Amino acid sequence: MLIELQGVGKSFASRSVLQSVDLSLVPGRIVTLIGPNGAGKTTLVKIVLGLIQPDTGRVQRSAQLRVGYMPQKLHIDPILPLQVERFLQFANTDSGECLAALQRVGVAHLIKQPVSGLSGGEMQRMLLARALLRKPNILVLDEPVQGVDVTGQEALYQLIGELRDELDCGILMVSHDLHLVMAATDEVVCLNQHVCCHGTPQQVSVDPEFVALFGAKTALYTHRHDHEHDLDSGIVSASGSLSCQLDSPQYGSSDKGASPSDAKGRRRADV
Amino acid sequence: MYDFLYLALLAGFGVAIVAGPMGSLVAWQRMAYFGETLAHGALLGIALGMWLAWSNSLAVILVCLLIAALLIAFERQKLLATDTVLGILSHSSLALGLIALTLIPGARTDMEALLFGDILTVTVAEVAVVWLMAFGVLIALWRLWPGLLAITVHEDLARVEGVAVDRFKIMLKLLLALVVAISMKVVGVLLITALLIIPAATARHFAKTPEQMAALASVVAILAVCTGLAASWWVNTPVGPSIVVSGSLFFIVVFLGFGRQV
């Protein structure tokens, strides 16, 4: 057990944001937090990180806890001259280790680049490298694929999965996009101020509370998915959540050996 | 016979050296308005000093620190945006300071010197205070630098990595208050922010690391002090504004000449 939350509640200015939330993070397991805007995802992450204290409930942390945190968004003003290497050295001053971390996330060539000029995907990988430099046994990733195109998102989720295996660390991810994250996670916690439902992606995606919250988005997922694989595009939202659940493993496996026609289809779907 | 000129140069250099790193931090953390508010508050410090017949330097330093503490406390409230709070405090303290200075009986005040600086009348004791404070602030910045940079980049990330974010933020503001207090004699309350921001912005074009920017900003500020004093000497322009205009000219030359490379 790395971190355990029991009955955690938090209010801001007498408005309740979280109510009796239970959450437990263990080594080797990816937990994904999903929920609509205002569901309290960020608040919950901050409680997990120890940045804010809950009003009610208990937070237990392992004594050996080393947290690697990847924030939601990093905006470096161009007025601050900062190279990637220097950015990483805030976490670990050893240049060799900084380079190794960048190599692990596949962007070693950026080491001397200014941070303010990085693309969305490069930025996310650099942030992930900084989290790794702490030699974490828990990674907290707040919207890790934000600002990354679809192909990059999938590669990033795959990298996160590999890191989990290598480090045997627990991972808490936040996401509000559903289609790719479902395939990349062991457990989904659906949050809307309280825990609506949780379980494996397969369990959660047929849960009535989940369907009530994400019905429209799930339909969107099915739609994109169909285009990406050039399958019959006639499927609509009626059985949306079911088809998404059945399709997701297929999606993951077929994309590893992506054929040229797949890639073309995806590009068309993105337009 | 040129003693006053040497003293002016000495005072200007003391302020310029510390204005480099502090100005860079102000630019990175977008604290220009905060500095402006402190500077306007310094006028109240002068009034207080005259009223209590204290040394001006001491009164200004105390009032600047007090206002910084007040602003730190105000920032915790959520009712008004920080920008609005600064706007209210900045201009009311300027207005209040101006009124207080005219009300104090027997105080013959040269308002222009307060608003735009009066470096040519600086005394040996004042130069000593400038250098003492500048030295102290530089040492503090040196020691706090990694933490100050870390909170500039991302506060929550720094906090997760074990940086005492709130302590660093308070220290930065108190140090800025000290820099504002010693800059007052050189460029006056209305131009202090310019002396902080312009050299830093000029240095940005040549810097690859935060430290390079801070050091280069000090060099630019020193050049601006020299050029401003020279202009004042040969063309008889007011010194404070001349220093700021020199800095602005450097900035424009760099911006036009090198802007596209960055």
Side-chain angles (χ1 to χ4, degrees):
Chain A
M1 185 66 62
L2 296 164
I3 300 181
E4 176 145 34
L5 272 62
Q6 284 174 332
V8 162
K10 180 75 187 172
S11 321
F12 291 113
S14 76
R15 199 177 68 88
S16 173
V17 179
L18 291 175
Q19 289 155 12
S20 59
V21 172
D22 297 339
L23 183 73
S24 75
L25 300 168
V26 295
R29 192 165 175 80
I30 300 182
V31 176
T32 299
L33 210 55
I34 58 171
N37 287 333
K41 300 190 294 284
T42 302
T43 306
L44 187 56
V45 164
K46 287 190 170 179
I47 289 173
V48 167
L49 290 170
L51 295 175
I52 55 178
Q53 299 303 316
D55 301 332
T56 56
R58 268 180 355 131
V59 181
Q60 273 185 305
R61 284 165 222 281
S62 146
Q64 286 88 39
L65 199 68
R66 286 185 312 277
V67 182
Y69 169 48
M70 181 172 167
Q72 190 180 114
K73 209 181 262 177
L74 180 77
H75 174 75
I76 299 285
D77 206 298
I79 188 82
L80 177 64
L82 194 71
Q83 293 174 342
V84 168
E85 182 176 28
R86 186 64 203 277
F87 176 83
L88 296 178
Q89 283 173 341
F90 287 115
N92 187 328
T93 49
D94 186 317
S95 313
E97 292 199 32
C98 290
L99 181 63
L102 280 178
Q103 272 164 349
R104 181 60 197 92
V105 298
V107 289
H109 59 286
L110 297 176
I111 192 156
K112 295 291 179 195
Q113 290 296 307
V115 174
S116 55
L118 299 184
S119 74
E122 290 168 343
M123 180 73 87
Q124 297 308 98
R125 281 169 188 263
M126 177 194 72
L127 286 170
L128 192 54
R130 178 159 165 183
L132 292 181
L133 278 167
R134 307 251 306 151
K135 301 190 173 33
N137 49 19
I138 177 119
L139 275 173
V140 179
L141 315 173
D142 197 349
E143 308 246 2
V145 300
Q146 195 174 60
V148 180
D149 60 54
V150 178
T151 328
Q153 285 188 14
E154 207 188 341
L156 210 47
Y157 280 130
Q158 195 180 338
L159 174 63
I160 290 167
E162 288 168 18
L163 290 171
R164 180 265 317 263
D165 296 338
E166 281 167 32
L167 303 168
D168 194 32
C169 61
I171 295 184
L172 176 66
M173 268 199 285
V174 175
S175 181
H176 63 226
D177 93 311
L178 298 174
H179 38 288
L180 285 172
V181 78
M182 286 297 226
T185 188
D186 301 312
E187 186 183 342
V188 175
V189 175
C190 177
L191 190 75
N192 192 14
Q193 300 188 354
H194 64 284
V195 176
C196 294
C197 53
H198 66 101
T200 64
Q202 286 75 20
Q203 289 167 345
V204 166
S205 58
V206 291
D207 191 290
E209 288 218 54
F210 174 85
V211 176
L213 266 179
F214 290 105
K217 282 191 183 177
T218 324
L220 174 71
Y221 161 58
T222 313
H223 176 76
R224 290 179 75 149
H225 180 139
D226 289 339
H227 278 74
E228 278 157 16
H229 291 271
D230 283 339
L231 294 176
D232 61 315
S233 48
I235 296 176
V236 278
S237 65
S239 61
S241 59
L242 188 66
S243 80
C244 116
Q245 169 224 339
L246 292 173
D247 286 348
S248 51
Q250 192 189 337
Y251 177 75
S253 59
S254 78
D255 240 282
K256 268 168 204 144
S259 67
S261 73
D262 271 343
K264 200 164 41 173
R266 184 184 301 127
R267 226 172 287 129
R268 186 147 47 84
D270 280 347
V271 170
Chain B
M1 122 183 221
Y2 296 132
D3 279 358
F4 69 96
L5 200 58
Y6 295 135
L7 282 178
L9 270 176
L10 267 179
F13 286 175
V15 169
I17 287 170
V18 76
M22 184 52 88
S24 300
L25 282 164
V26 168
W28 298 333
Q29 298 233 7
R30 300 166 179 240
M31 286 169 66
Y33 208 2
F34 191 92
E36 189 97 10
T37 308
L38 286 174
H40 289 175
L43 208 59
L44 269 179
I46 297 272
L48 187 76
M50 285 180 170
W51 187 47
L52 297 172
W54 280 2
S55 138
N56 271 351
S57 308
L58 187 67
V60 170
I61 288 169
L62 281 179
V63 170
C64 280
L65 286 176
L66 198 72
I67 290 178
L70 204 68
L71 289 178
I72 291 165
F74 262 116
E75 278 184 350
R76 309 232 157 155
Q77 57 83 34
K78 296 268 184 272
L79 198 63
L80 291 173
T82 305
D83 200 48
T84 311
V85 172
L86 290 177
I88 294 168
L89 286 178
S90 167
H91 298 108
S92 16
S93 58
L94 179 65
L96 192 62
L98 290 171
I99 290 173
L101 283 169
T102 54
L103 285 183
I104 289 166
R108 196 187 60 81
T109 47
D110 181 357
M111 209 62 93
E112 202 173 308
L114 294 177
L115 295 181
F116 302 107
D118 193 15
I119 197 177
L120 293 175
T121 64
V122 74
T123 63
V124 175
E126 282 168 332
V127 172
V129 170
V130 164
W131 275 90
L132 204 69
M133 303 301 288
F135 194 63
V137 171
L138 277 179
I139 293 207
L141 285 179
W142 177 268
R143 300 197 52 168
L144 299 174
W145 192 252
L148 289 174
L149 270 186
I151 66 169
T152 301
V153 172
H154 197 287
E155 276 187 21
D156 280 346
L157 198 47
R159 202 171 265 135
V160 169
E161 290 176 356
V163 177
V165 173
D166 297 320
R167 219 186 68 207
F168 278 97
K169 284 169 79 173
I170 290 173
M171 285 304 290
L172 177 60
K173 283 167 184 163
L174 294 179
L175 290 171
L176 176 58
L178 293 180
V179 173
V180 165
I182 61 170
S183 309
M184 206 176 147
K185 189 79 180 175
V186 178
V187 284
V189 296
L190 293 184
L191 298 175
I192 288 174
T193 315
L195 189 67
L196 291 171
I197 296 285
I198 294 172
T202 310
R204 169 64 185 98
H205 291 280
F206 304 104
K208 283 205 158 57
T209 68
E211 292 74 20
Q212 281 176 10
M213 178 162 154
L216 274 171
S218 293
V219 173
V220 174
I222 287 173
L223 286 177
V225 167
C226 292
T227 330
L229 268 172
S232 172
W233 180 255
W234 302 112
V235 198
N236 204 22
T237 51
V239 190
S242 304
I243 291 174
V244 171
V245 168
S246 316
S248 309
L249 286 176
F250 293 149
F251 174 77
I252 290 168
V253 167
V254 167
F255 187 78
L256 292 180
F258 304 90
R260 266 166 249 121
Q261 289 176 15
V262 174

